[in-house]
C-alpha cells in the first residue's frame, strides 16, 4: 500500500527551531490537512515531505508512485500559454504532444477554463484563472499523491468552493491522496479525512481531528457547524491565539 510516513521529524533554519517531533501517516486515498497559523512551519513541513527540502533529523518515507504540487501563487511559466502550462508534466513524462494537448484541454474545461482562454499567457489571466490552470496542471498527470500549499487562499468564496468541489470529485474518482496545508479551518473541514493542528514556535502537532462523512456529502451546513464546534476547542483557541482578539 502506498503511503507517506513522517517519523520524529525536526527541522532548523540556522539556529532557529522550526519543527519539532512531527509524526503522522498519510494513507492511500486520504486527504490529510496540516492546519496552523502563518509562520508556524507548514510550508517547511510540506517541502520536507515533498523532497523540495532535505530532511536533516527524523524520517520521511514516501512510497507513493508519483506526486505533483499546487501552490498559492500558481507558479505558471510566463512564456507558455494556458494549455502548454497544463501539458508540461505530461510532456515531461514522455507523452505524445498531440495526446498531451488533448488531455490538457479536457481538464482545462473541467476546471472551468474556456476555449477562448487556451492561447492566453499567464500575464493575461486573473488570479482565479491562474489557479484553475495550476490545479489542472497538477491533476492532469494523475498523481498518486498531491501536495497542496494554501492553493485557495487568494480566491473569492465562490471560486474557492467550485475548485474544492472539482478537487474532491477528481481525487475520489482517481483515488488520489492529498497532503493539504492551510491556515483556513473551514476549508480543512470541507476537504479532510484528518486534520492535524500545528502550533507554532516551534511547529509541533498538538491535536488531531477526524472526519468520517465522505467529502461529497459535506454541505455548507456541515462545514459551518463543524467550524463553530472546532473554534471552541481549547487547543484551536490557543494555537490561533483567538482569545487575545476578544473585545473586552
Ligand atoms: N529558507 C528559510 N530560511 C530561514 N528561515 C526560513 C526559511 N523558510 C522559512 N523560514 C522561517 O521558518 C518559519 C516557518 O515558515 P513557513 O514554513 O513558511 O511557515 P507557514 O507556511 O506556516 O507560514 C518562519 O519563521 C519563516 O520565516
Ligand atoms: Mg506557508
Amino acid at each position: 500500500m502506498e503511503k507517506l510516513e513522517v517519523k520524529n521529524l525536526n527541522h532548523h533554519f540556522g539556529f532557529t527551531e522550526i519543527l519539532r517531533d512531527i509524526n503522522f501517516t498519510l494513507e492511500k486515498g486520504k486527504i490529510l490537512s496540516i492546519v496552523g497559523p502563518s509562520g508556524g512551519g507548514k510550508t517547511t513541513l510540506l517541502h520536507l515531505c515533498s523532497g523540495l527540502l532535505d530532511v536533516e533529523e527524523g524520517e520521511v518515507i514516501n512510497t507513493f508512485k508519483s506526486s505533483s504540487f499546487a501552490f498559492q501563487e500558481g507558479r505558471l511559466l510566463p512564456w507558455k500559454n494556458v494549455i502548454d502550462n497544463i501539458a508540461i508534466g505530461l510532456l515531461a513524462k514522455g507523452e505524445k504532444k498531440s495526446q498531451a494537448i488533448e488531455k490538457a484541454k479536457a481538464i482545462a474545461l473541467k476546471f472551468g477554463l474556456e476555449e477562448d482562454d487556451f492561447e492566453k499567457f499567464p500575464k493575461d489571466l486573473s488570479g482565479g484563472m491562474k489557479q484553475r490552470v495550476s490545479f489542472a496542471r497538477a491533476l492532469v498527470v494523475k498523481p498518486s499523491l498531491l501536495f497542496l500549499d494554501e492553493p485557495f487562499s487568494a480566491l473569492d468564496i465562490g471560486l474557492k468552493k467550485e475548485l474544492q468541489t472539482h478537487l474532491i470529485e477528481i481525487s475520489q474518482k482517481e483515488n488520489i491522496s492529498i497532503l493539504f496545508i492551510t491556515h483556513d479551518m473551514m476549508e480543512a473541514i470541507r476537504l479532510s479525512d484528518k486534520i492535524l493542528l500545528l502550533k507554532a514556535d516551534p511547529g509541533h502537532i498538538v491535536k488531531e481531528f477526524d472526519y468520517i462523512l465522505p467529502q461529497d456529502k459535506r454541505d455548507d451546513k456541515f462545514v459551518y457547524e463543524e467550524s463553530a464546534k472546532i473554534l471552541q476547542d481549547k487547543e484551536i483557541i490557543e494555537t490561533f491565539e483567538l482569545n487575545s482578539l476578544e473585545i473586552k
Side-chain angles (χ1 to χ4, degrees), residues 11-14 16-19 34-47 53 149-150 181-183 198 200-201 203:
H11 198 76
H12 292 79
F13 283 125
T16 314
E17 187 182 17
I18 306 292
L19 293 169
I34 315 272
V35 177
S38 293
K42 301 185 298 298
T43 295
T44 304
L45 178 54
L46 196 73
H47 286 176
L53 200 59
D149 193 352
E150 312 228 18
I181 299 288
T182 181
H183 61 261
L198 190 77
D201 297 323

Side-chain angles (χ1 to χ4, degrees), residues 47-61:
H47 286 176
L48 289 165
C49 289
S50 61
L52 288 176
L53 200 59
D54 287 336
V55 173
E56 290 170 349
E57 281 181 68
E59 273 185 284
V60 171
I61 303 156

Side-chain angles (χ1 to χ4, degrees), residues 40-247:
K42 301 185 298 298
T43 295
T44 304
L45 178 54
L46 196 73
H47 286 176
L48 289 165
C49 289
S50 61
L52 288 176
L53 200 59
D54 287 336
V55 173
E56 290 170 349
E57 281 181 68
E59 273 185 284
V60 171
I61 303 156
N62 181 359
T63 64
F64 284 101
K65 285 194 216 78
S66 60
S67 60
S68 64
F69 234 119
F71 305 92
Q72 182 175 350
E73 335 81 73
R75 301 197 194 176
L76 306 177
L77 298 176
W79 61 88
K80 289 196 179 283
N81 70 24
V82 162
I83 291 303
D84 289 339
N85 260 292
I86 297 173
I88 204 154
L90 293 170
L91 294 172
K93 285 206 308 188
E95 201 146 322
K96 249 176 51 195
K97 176 107 194 207
S98 57
Q99 207 175 324
I101 298 292
E102 204 63 32
K103 285 187 186 175
K105 285 181 176 169
I107 200 160
L109 294 171
K110 181 145 190 61
F111 271 93
L113 292 153
E114 291 169 14
E115 276 184 44
D116 287 348
D117 304 325
F118 287 179
E119 309 281 310
K120 287 182 185 160
F121 289 87
K123 68 174 172 51
D124 300 319
L125 302 176
S126 66
M129 284 161 78
K130 282 184 203 161
Q131 217 50 352
R132 291 177 195 271
V133 176
S134 169
F135 270 104
R137 179 182 59 181
L139 284 159
V140 75
V141 294
K142 300 195 176 171
S144 15
L145 172 59
L146 177 62
F147 294 106
L148 296 178
D149 193 352
E150 312 228 18
F152 306 109
S153 296
L155 307 178
D156 66 70
I157 187 167
L159 183 52
K160 194 181 272 201
K161 207 173 150 195
E162 184 196 323
L163 292 185
Q164 287 170 352
T165 305
H166 292 318
L167 181 68
I168 289 168
E169 205 183 293
I170 295 182
S171 63
Q172 284 181 342
K173 194 162 137 243
E174 312 280 350
N175 202 21
I176 294 170
S177 315
I178 301 178
L179 183 59
F180 178 48
I181 299 288
T182 181
H183 61 261
D184 183 332
M185 221 53 240
M186 289 231 288
E187 65 185 38
I189 289 171
R190 187 180 297 282
L191 292 171
S192 317
D193 294 297
K194 186 190 281 295
I195 296 176
L196 302 178
L197 182 61
L198 190 77
K199 201 169 175 178
D201 297 323
H204 61 293
I205 294 168
V206 286
K207 194 160 183 174
E208 56 178 71
F209 302 88
D210 291 292
Y211 294 91
I212 310 290
L213 188 70
Q215 282 79 349
D216 57 359
K217 303 268 174 339
R218 298 180 195 175
D219 55 10
D220 287 343
K221 185 161 170 282
F222 174 87
V223 174
Y224 298 146
E225 286 177 1
E226 290 299 325
S227 303
K229 248 190 252 170
I230 213 174
L231 286 171
Q232 302 191 25
D233 184 278
K234 188 169 148 282
E235 296 287 3
I236 297 268
I237 291 171
E238 280 178 16
T239 298
F240 286 97
E241 299 177 2
L242 298 178
N243 31 13
S244 57
L245 303 176
E246 255 165 47
I247 298 164

